[in-house]
Amino acid sequence: MDMLVPKTKLAKLNKPVSRKLRAYAFDPSLSLLTDTVQVNNIVYKVEWEELQQAGTKTLPAGEYIEIIDYDPASGVFYPPVDLNDPYLLAQDGLNPSVSNPQFHQQMVYAVIMTTIKNFERALGRKIQWSPHIYLTESNKIGGSSFVQRLRIYPHALRQANAYYNPQKKSLLFGYFPAKPANVQLQLPGGTVFTCLSHDVIAHETTHAILDGLHQRYIEDTHPDTRAFHEAFSDIVALFQHFTFPEVLKHQIAKTKGDLNAQNLLGQLAQQFGLAMGSYGSLRDAIGKTDPVTGEWTPQKPDPEEYATKMEFHDRGAVLVAAIFDAFLNIYKQRIKPLLRVSTGGEGDLHPDMVDLLANTASDTASRILKICVRALDYCPPVDINYGDYLRALITADVDMVAEDEKNYRVAFIESFQKRGIFPTGVKTMSVESLVHEPFPEFELAEDDEEIFIKFLKEFKEAVAYETSREKVFDTTKYFISGDKKKKITGLYDRINSKFILSNAGKKFAELSGLLFPEGTMACEGLGFGHSDYSDLAKYSVENLWLASRITPDDKIINHVIINLVQKRGIRVNIDAEQNFSVAGYFDPGKDKPDNGFIFRGGCTLIFDLDKMQLKYAIKKGIDDVERMERQYKYKNNIGADKGEVYFSDKTLATLSGPFAFMHSFTHQH
Ligand SMILES: [Zn+2]
């Protein structure tokens, strides 16, 4: 018999893995229906972190967010919930309640942290909020500083809306009285809190995370760029539905496994939609409810959609539908053998079958969400369009999984094709032509060793084991700009000294799509300063990331991702027939000509650290006249009447249906 050995000291306990918090899977409206109440109240398992007890007005405050519950309309601070209270810890947080502001804070915390962790698992690194940009006295960009926490205001506005504010690094959630068309589902005049909707919270959080990854995507340079922000935010919210086992099983049982039928998983913001007088959710990835009959019908992909839908959220819905369709097709393929062995019949599915189908759905959804998130690292840093994203999806997946046994790639291609989305400059819609061309060997010849390889090794050593986000940010910054004390030459100066006025520069210009003086007429004869090599095309190293990702077969892949962005002032000539030509260039720091506009090019370089080679250079050329023309005409509403893919302010004004309500940005042009 074993004896208990008396010890003088208690064994030290490990930190808990997660903090369990009760909240709605969707929003409060589904807790009012007998059918869904049992699955709508769920427990979120949020990765454990210490929460600060920082005064009475700011709580909870963790590593990534702080919740400030000030309600300007009523002029009150709602007392903060203390998630460290032993009573709350022992009962998985407060009970879901519409009337308890402390529960609102708890729900916002749970959903935001869940969303952040989903990103980090897919990206293979900690997320950063977009840095704070500070200006010098002469109003020029002086530099950037670390943003520790996003500020969350659960009751910021009396408005049927929620926002991400990229300047103030905050999420603002509104609340409003319902004006429902169907009083059975939503009480008229009852208050709807957007901070109680999983979908609204996940959507706004994704806007903020995406802004931290690609700071230029909030620039409206193509009809797709801001639509992409909306679509991507919806995609994350939708696929998170599949991570709630209770909801998933319930919906699988209800639809007998047919997720093409109307179901909660494919819908976004139910209560919001109902409260705004619609008969269904605010957005639905697979179908829509007829406003007259109230009947739900599945959506059919329309190859004209991409060419005609121009309002951000409508256009975003095209991309969401394409991704969701790819998911459904893979799911249907995967469950075929399961359904074959099932006895079928009229009755309910056997609970074991429900489990099997639910596992397949959740596994497929989680793989799709991971591919969608990882693809962000394979996108150009500026001017993204849906075609670029398709290529990024394919390349990201090829990079992680050699064999596409379950046909994920084909499913993506097919569903984009059905909606008329074709990447430019690609000959066929096949995996082979869509995947970005890898560089079998580093092609920068003798210059590669010092400028990149040594640099990459040093960078990896400096940040790989760093757990503090702030330290990663600061270290990355001196790896970009250099640090004399630590004797580190920054990437910016390395590129300057190696590529400017050199033969290697020509190659690098070709590879990156950016301008380096030797290969270009426009920059000849100009002086090259320290901070920029040319008055005509300034570049910056916008991001430098180390990613350590785990493949589905448990291999670790280490990548360094570099985003270079270049800016140029273009003088434009438009003739009587509205033909576009470049009249010359200008320095945006000095001039502001009437016929000028600022044009950006950029390049994403992906290095494989295990093989020490450049894998991909994904570019948007700074010398691409076609792109200049498209962008200029889009921004100036030229050619919109010719049926080209540009939209005018007029179109925007007439297209402000219910879909326009979930705006993302407070700053408007
Ligand atoms: Zn949005």
Side-chain angles (χ1 to χ4, degrees):
M1 204 181 119
D2 289 331
M3 296 286 287
L4 281 175
V5 183
K7 282 187 181 166
T8 50
K9 268 188 187 167
L10 280 171
K12 217 178 157 209
L13 287 173
N14 289 327
K15 271 187 201 166
V17 177
S18 58
R19 188 188 293 271
K20 291 181 190 153
L21 295 169
R22 288 182 285 170
Y24 302 118
F26 295 96
D27 60 43
S29 69
L30 294 159
S31 290
L32 299 174
L33 301 172
T34 43
D35 179 37
T36 43
V37 60
Q38 59 200 18
V39 293
N40 190 40
N41 292 9
I42 62 166
V43 175
Y44 288 74
K45 285 183 191 158
V46 180
E47 194 178 295
W48 181 266
E49 64 164 343
E50 304 294 337
L51 289 172
Q52 285 174 22
Q53 194 82 38
T56 51
K57 287 177 182 173
T58 310
L59 245 187
E63 166 69 24
Y64 297 86
I65 57 169
E66 58 193 359
I67 296 174
I68 301 159
D69 207 354
Y70 179 61
D71 181 346
S74 340
V76 288
F77 266 108
Y78 299 110
V81 61
D82 181 3
L83 295 178
N84 293 330
D85 187 311
Y87 286 7
L88 284 195
L89 287 171
Q91 50 186 315
D92 300 345
L94 294 163
N95 203 20
S97 152
V98 176
S99 57
N100 180 357
Q102 283 76 44
F103 167 71
H104 297 195
Q105 299 159 11
Q106 172 179 305
M107 167 134 185
V108 162
Y109 175 78
V111 178
I112 294 177
M113 292 309 295
T114 302
T115 309
I116 290 173
K117 292 298 157 185
N118 280 338
F119 268 88
E120 293 192 340
R121 268 191 290 272
L123 288 172
R125 62 176 178 270
K126 292 195 173 177
I127 61 129
Q128 297 280 8
W129 306 120
S130 72
H132 175 67
I133 305 291
Y134 54 87
L135 301 173
T136 60
E137 275 173 25
S138 54
N139 242 0
K140 287 194 169 164
I141 289 173
S144 60
S145 59
F146 174 67
V147 174
Q148 174 82 51
R149 297 185 182 111
L150 198 65
R151 297 189 147 181
I152 316 297
Y153 298 88
H155 307 102
L157 325 139
R158 281 193 188 170
Q159 249 181 57
N161 217 334
Y163 300 96
Y164 161 57
N165 183 327
Q167 281 84 39
K168 296 202 167 135
K169 316 293 173 197
S170 55
L171 301 187
L172 310 173
F173 294 93
Y175 61 93
F176 61 100
K179 295 189 193 90
N182 182 342
V183 292
Q184 278 179 321
L185 295 169
Q186 174 68 49
L187 223 59
T191 306
V192 175
F193 295 96
T194 60
C195 73
L196 291 182
S197 161
H198 163 274
D199 299 338
V200 179
I201 305 169
H203 177 106
E204 297 307 330
T205 307
T206 303
H207 275 310
I209 298 174
L210 182 53
D211 190 37
L213 286 163
H214 286 291
Q215 295 86 343
R216 302 269 166 213
Y217 285 8
I218 56 175
E219 289 170 6
D220 188 15
T221 53
H222 186 284
D224 284 359
T225 44
R226 287 194 51 192
F228 178 77
H229 237 286
E230 295 308 324
F232 190 76
S233 301
D234 276 357
I235 288 166
V236 171
L238 272 176
F239 283 102
Q240 283 189 178
H241 293 163
F242 293 83
T243 60
F244 309 138
E246 303 88 340
V247 177
L248 186 55
K249 283 180 199 166
H250 178 265
Q251 293 294 302
I252 295 255
K254 204 178 165 190
T255 58
K256 293 193 183 179
D258 177 14
L259 294 179
N260 266 339
Q262 182 181 22
N263 69 77
L264 293 171
L265 301 162
Q267 297 176 2
L268 282 169
Q270 283 90 353
Q271 187 186 26
F272 200 112
L274 293 171
M276 297 308 296
S278 141
Y279 278 87
S281 57
L282 182 66
R283 295 198 270 275
D284 190 327
I286 49 172
K288 56 174 184 271
T289 309
D290 188 306
V292 183
T293 61
E295 219 166 289
W296 185 90
T297 45
Q299 229 167 38
K300 283 196 194 82
D302 174 1
E304 294 293 302
E305 277 180 338
Y306 181 63
T308 52
K309 297 210 167 168
M310 291 302 160
E311 189 278 327
F312 301 141
H313 298 81
D314 285 348
R315 194 169 179 81
V318 179
L319 182 60
V320 176
I323 301 283
F324 208 73
D325 198 24
F327 158 74
L328 286 175
N329 283 330
I330 298 160
Y331 165 75
K332 274 188 269 176
Q333 285 301 316
R334 289 185 67 182
I335 61 167
K336 258 190 197 161
L338 297 174
L339 294 178
R340 238 177 268 138
V341 297
S342 121
T343 49
E346 284 300 295
D348 291 341
L349 287 178
H350 189 279
D352 288 348
M353 181 54 82
V354 171
D355 281 354
L356 283 171
L357 295 179
N359 286 343
T360 310
S362 109
D363 185 67
T364 310
S366 111
R367 167 96 184 265
I368 296 260
L369 181 56
K370 272 199 179 123
I371 299 173
C372 287
V373 171
R374 277 176 187 150
L376 295 173
D377 279 344
Y378 296 76
C379 290
V382 296
D383 206 21
I384 187 172
N385 62 46
Y386 291 178
D388 296 329
Y389 189 56
L390 175 61
R391 299 196 66 186
L393 289 167
I394 304 295
T395 311
D397 196 53
V398 165
D399 235 15
M400 291 295 282
V401 192
E403 298 287 327
D404 187 19
E405 282 158 6
K406 297 188 179 104
N407 293 317
Y408 280 80
R409 295 162 206 164
V410 179
F412 279 128
I413 295 171
E414 202 181 279
S415 63
F416 274 66
Q417 199 163 5
K418 274 190 200 158
R419 286 166 181 82
I421 307 169
F422 301 99
T424 42
V426 171
K427 287 194 189 82
T428 61
M429 286 288 270
S430 65
V431 173
E432 295 70 38
S433 24
L434 289 169
V435 71
H436 282 287
E437 194 187 325
F439 293 83
E441 284 158 51
F442 205 107
E443 292 182 359
L444 293 170
E446 66 272 19
D447 289 300
D448 57 353
E449 179 62 28
E450 197 170 325
I451 179 146
F452 283 125
I453 294 191
K454 212 171 130 212
F455 174 84
L456 295 173
K457 281 183 184 158
E458 285 170 5
F459 176 63
K460 188 194 170 192
E461 268 162 43
V463 298
Y465 304 103
E466 185 52 70
T467 51
S468 148
R469 281 166 58 238
E470 184 168 10
K471 281 195 181 139
V472 169
F473 181 91
D474 290 338
T475 306
T476 303
K477 219 165 116 173
Y478 68 66
F479 268 88
I480 290 176
S481 317
D483 185 1
K484 279 195 184 123
K485 269 187 248 152
K486 295 193 170 72
K487 289 187 182 152
I488 289 174
T489 311
L491 185 58
Y492 188 89
D493 289 335
R494 283 170 196 248
I495 291 177
N496 273 349
S497 64
K498 283 288 169 189
F499 294 144
I500 285 165
L501 296 174
S502 74
N503 271 332
K506 263 189 196 166
K507 279 193 193 168
F508 192 65
E510 214 173 283
L511 177 143
S512 63
L514 306 180
L515 281 184
F516 291 87
E518 261 273 297
T520 59
M521 296 288 288
C523 299
E524 264 176 11
L526 290 165
F528 306 113
H530 171 78
S531 61
D532 56 77
Y533 73 85
S534 150
D535 283 334
L536 292 182
K538 302 177 179 189
Y539 79 92
S540 62
V541 179
E542 291 221 327
N543 291 306
L544 172 63
W545 311 110
L546 172 72
S548 302
R549 309 186 223 265
I550 302 167
T551 66
D553 47 359
D554 290 332
K555 268 188 264 164
I556 296 177
I557 292 178
N558 292 297
H559 282 164
V560 168
I561 300 122
I562 298 171
N563 294 141
L564 302 176
V565 173
Q566 200 162 40
K567 153 169 132 173
R568 209 176 182 194
I570 314 272
R571 288 176 199 272
V572 174
N573 195 14
I574 297 282
D575 69 13
E577 268 90 54
Q578 299 200 326
N579 292 311
F580 172 100
S581 61
V582 176
Y585 303 95
F586 68 93
D587 178 357
K590 291 185 189 136
D591 293 331
K592 223 180 176 180
D594 287 341
N595 66 338
F597 83 111
I598 293 182
F599 182 67
R600 284 193 174 87
C603 176
T604 297
L605 301 172
I606 301 177
F607 291 88
D608 182 329
L609 287 189
D610 308 302
K611 293 181 186 139
M612 271 301 163
Q613 49 174 234
L614 173 66
K615 282 206 91 172
Y616 305 103
I618 297 154
K619 59 193 171 191
K620 285 272 161 171
I622 187 83
D623 232 3
D624 182 341
V625 179
E626 230 178 88
R627 203 164 63 83
M628 287 175 199
E629 173 171 359
R630 207 177 328 120
Q631 198 169 114
Y632 184 81
K633 287 189 169 173
Y634 167 62
K635 298 209 78 125
N636 294 280
N637 302 324
I638 300 170
D641 54 335
K642 291 182 195 160
E644 291 175 66
V645 191
Y646 315 118
F647 64 89
S648 61
D649 290 331
K650 252 184 275 161
T651 343
L652 257 184
T654 52
L655 279 168
S656 53
F659 284 96
F661 280 105
M662 212 190 287
H663 278 306
S664 44
F665 309 112
T666 49
H667 81 283
Q668 257 125 31
H669 300 274

